[in-house]
Amino acid sequence: MVIADRFKSRPGAETVRLPSGGEMTLAVEHAAAILVNEQTAFRVVCTPELLPQLALGRLLTEGWITCADEVEQIAVCAEGLKVSVHLTHPLETAAAAGQEVPSCCTDNLTVASPVKLRPLAPVPQREIPDEWVETLAAAMGDELPLYRATHAVHSCFVLRDGKILYQCEDLGRHNALDKAVGCALAEGVQLGECVLYTSGRVPVDMVRKAIRAGVPALVSKTMPTVQSLELAEAYGLKLLIRKKKSFHAAAKKVRECSG
């Protein structure tokens, strides 16, 4: 895979003068189109950094590809407005075409004719030591630079063998996760040996992304929904919270109270 990034990374925050006087550091919104085989597939609103990794991670976690070997080239224009991804094969389109699928993550949209997405598959099974969860929680507690400056972004970490490999920030939790996954893919890291930590909520779409990434566990500081718990259980994904409690016990208590 060849990555040609003419845009590179730009600051994710700017200090601006407020109408009422004084200054404040605010996050920057950057809009870009992701093209796959010359067809617009996604429109993303993100922080202006790691655009190739965002595109790569998005294609995997949304089921367009199953591995980095399917990607021949990723090219980002000088203005960062277009991220062109060329695959080693044509995409198989689904029966319905022309949809726009919105995301609750900023103004992100899937805009291409829907492709035939790769089916979900069970994730690798691996024991997750308590120390790994503590490492992730401590790192999140330290806060990353962009969050410290703006208090307006999400974070996602990739951990392997107790060591944090990547720490990514973005306006949206989906983008942050995709950037972290894309970093691992670009460097040939085996995601089946990794754990993801997200600062955001864990509804079904986030669990689906983690399953498609092929990680054995997703850690968060927030509770899941009933549906996201059921999906995780169906495919063997471990959902953990930072206080070292399993989501399974928490969900069982909720069901008992509501029953």
Side-chain angles (χ1 to χ4, degrees), residues 11-224:
E14 293 181 7
T15 300
V16 299
R17 183 169 295 278
L18 301 175
S20 57
E23 294 183 338
M24 180 175 287
T25 301
L26 301 176
V28 173
E29 295 187 44
H30 178 79
I34 299 175
L35 286 70
V36 180
N37 292 348
E38 303 299 334
Q39 182 178 18
T40 302
F42 303 95
R43 288 201 301 264
V44 295
V45 177
C46 58
T47 53
E49 56 188 351
L50 297 176
L51 298 186
Q53 289 81 359
L54 171 58
L56 184 58
R58 177 63 51 88
L59 292 181
L60 182 77
T61 65
E62 292 297 326
W64 290 53
I65 62 173
T66 58
C67 65
D69 290 342
E70 294 181 50
V71 178
E72 183 177 295
Q73 182 185 58
I74 302 176
V76 185
C77 72
E79 296 78 20
L81 302 178
K82 185 168 72 171
V83 184
S84 299
V85 181
H86 291 274
L87 303 182
T88 59
H89 56 82
L91 287 168
E92 184 179 356
T93 58
Q99 277 180 269
E100 285 198 349
V101 182
S103 165
C104 63
C105 192
T106 64
D107 284 329
N108 289 353
L109 282 173
T110 301
V111 297
S113 300
V115 300
K116 187 172 182 180
L117 301 180
R118 308 302 172 88
L120 297 178
V123 302
Q125 297 301 296
R126 183 168 186 175
E127 290 299 318
I128 310 300
D130 289 345
E131 301 81 54
W132 291 13
V133 180
E134 292 171 356
T135 296
L136 290 165
M140 188 65 73
D142 289 340
E143 301 178 352
L144 297 185
L146 190 55
Y147 181 82
R148 284 200 301 270
T150 66
H151 294 277
V153 297
H154 282 289
S155 306
C156 187
F157 299 162
V158 177
L159 176 143
R160 184 179 65 180
D161 293 332
K163 179 182 178 181
I164 294 175
L165 302 182
Y166 309 105
Q167 304 178 72
C168 296
E169 296 182 277
D170 199 275
L171 294 166
R173 53 197 164 87
H174 301 83
N175 293 344
L177 186 147
D178 288 338
K179 285 181 176 181
V181 168
C183 285
L185 287 176
E187 296 190 3
V189 173
Q190 296 298 314
L191 285 163
E193 302 172 357
C194 297
V195 175
L196 293 178
Y197 188 111
T198 175
S199 65
R201 296 181 297 110
V202 191
V204 166
D205 56 355
M206 289 292 281
V207 168
R208 190 183 297 119
K209 279 181 173 289
I211 292 170
R212 284 207 168 105
V215 296
L218 176 64
V219 183
S220 178
K221 59 183 180 182
T222 63
M223 295 298 290

